[in-house]
Amino acid sequence: MKNVIVGQSGGPTSVINSSLLGVYQTAKERGADIVYGMVHGIRGLLDEDVIDLSTEIRNELDMDLLKRTPSSFLGSCRYKLPDLEGNEDTYEKIFAILKKLEIYAFFYIGGNDSMDTIKKLSDYGKQVKSPIRFMGVPKTIDNDLMITDHTPGFGSAAKYIAATMKEVIRDGLVYDYPVVSVVEVMGRNAGWLTSAAALAKGDDCEGVDMIFLPERVFDVEYFLKKVGELLKENRSIVIAVSEGVKVADGRYVCELADHVDYVDMFGHKQLAGTARYLAGEVAKKYGCKTRAIELSSLQRCAAHVMARVDMTEAFNAGGAAVKYAFDPDPESKTGEGMTGMVVTLKRVLDDPYICITEPADVHEIANIEKKVPQEWITKDGTNVTDDLVHYIHPLIQAEIIPLWVNGLPHHIKRGHTD
Ligand code: F6P
């Protein structure tokens, strides 16, 4: 069995295709015959919707474009495999498909929900003594995976957030009357990405006025009081707020206004409308001009401001997964590669920044969220500390220039023939 298969799962990032390329190139270098791609992750695999990646990645130009193309090239899914007990038929079906494709190793690029797939498949594989290796490649703008120092995808999204905040701050100062801008940032139940707003502050920028993370209970009255205090001294106020902030009774702030009715297979509600709700409350109380800015998908697909550090680490994470699956596992006596593991990033040094990869057991990562430590949030809960800024800083460094065609960044599409 010399073939491998790779899938992308969960929310996309700007650099998720660099991990795909890392898997593809490294697997080819290590002698894989066919590198298959699952179209729409495990959901597609169940329908045997797979492609031979060599028909898509044909030359250097395709590789250069793939690295610069945001969102999941193969398509993604939010599909939860059923529990093994009582659902053996699903697993038998998947393993039969993998056997037919002569798969030696299975790679899944995703976040903590997607690692549930690696966990279940590798557990089943061990149970039926399958030779197939299952490896997770980390990815998420949320940066909420356990063990790893950070996740590929986070650095580029953080760079976009910080750059956007600088621009919003400049824009807010344009008039001679008060404006309150509330900027909503993704990250679900972890505030890492919202914290990146703090990086906007510098010699050329006043920085954002307040930052609210889901790691603290959100109090609407307290928020309005703080805005009132700031309004006494400032013309423009810019506030970063996480989409996942919740009030004391456990409801998301966005649920105070809108009826949120979409829930995915992992039980996650679709979060949106926090900034709109809070800006409305500010306008009602203070009668001033407000803006609600929901960054939504923009923050996870802004490949034109991708961080090169992030892109390189995403590529390396894909390559490392192949290496761990192909090289004999030092822990095993069989000479086989690793299975049931996830690649993690280990920060060795801050200055100069050095980061290496290490494997970790998927059971310690799947379905668990890593939150921002309380000590990295200021006592009053309206900002983050310098430690958090220093932690993020190396991850947003360096740029990669898009390949511009006709005035716009050029991307690669599945099924391209050019
Ligand atoms: O998985 C990361 C993420 O981008 C979260 O930050 C966000 O809450 C969620 O995905 C949105 O998911 P979807 O694309 O399914 O709406």
Side-chain angles (χ1 to χ4, degrees), residues 11 78 141-142 186-188 243 300:
R78 289 211 185 268
I141 60 163
D142 298 354
M186 276 184 169
R188 203 171 273 145
E243 63 173 4
R300 61 184 193 188

Side-chain angles (χ1 to χ4, degrees), residues 162-192:
T164 300
M165 291 300 174
K166 289 188 72 170
E167 291 162 355
V168 170
I169 290 164
R170 289 269 69 75
D171 185 273
L173 286 164
V174 73
Y175 300 119
D176 58 357
Y177 50 80
V179 184
V180 177
S181 305
V182 186
V183 188
E184 177 178 330
V185 181
M186 276 184 169
R188 203 171 273 145
N189 300 316
W192 297 103

Side-chain angles (χ1 to χ4, degrees), residues 9-13 77-78 111-113 139-144 185-190 193 243-244 262 264 268-271 296-297 299-300:
S9 170
T13 76
C77 66
R78 289 211 185 268
N112 36 24
D113 292 338
K139 159 279 359 169
T140 171
I141 60 163
D142 298 354
N143 197 39
D144 61 350
V185 181
M186 276 184 169
R188 203 171 273 145
N189 300 316
L193 195 54
E243 63 173 4
Y262 182 76
D264 71 19
H268 302 305
K269 290 180 180 161
Q270 185 179 2
L271 304 175
S296 188
S297 7
Q299 64 208 290
R300 61 184 193 188

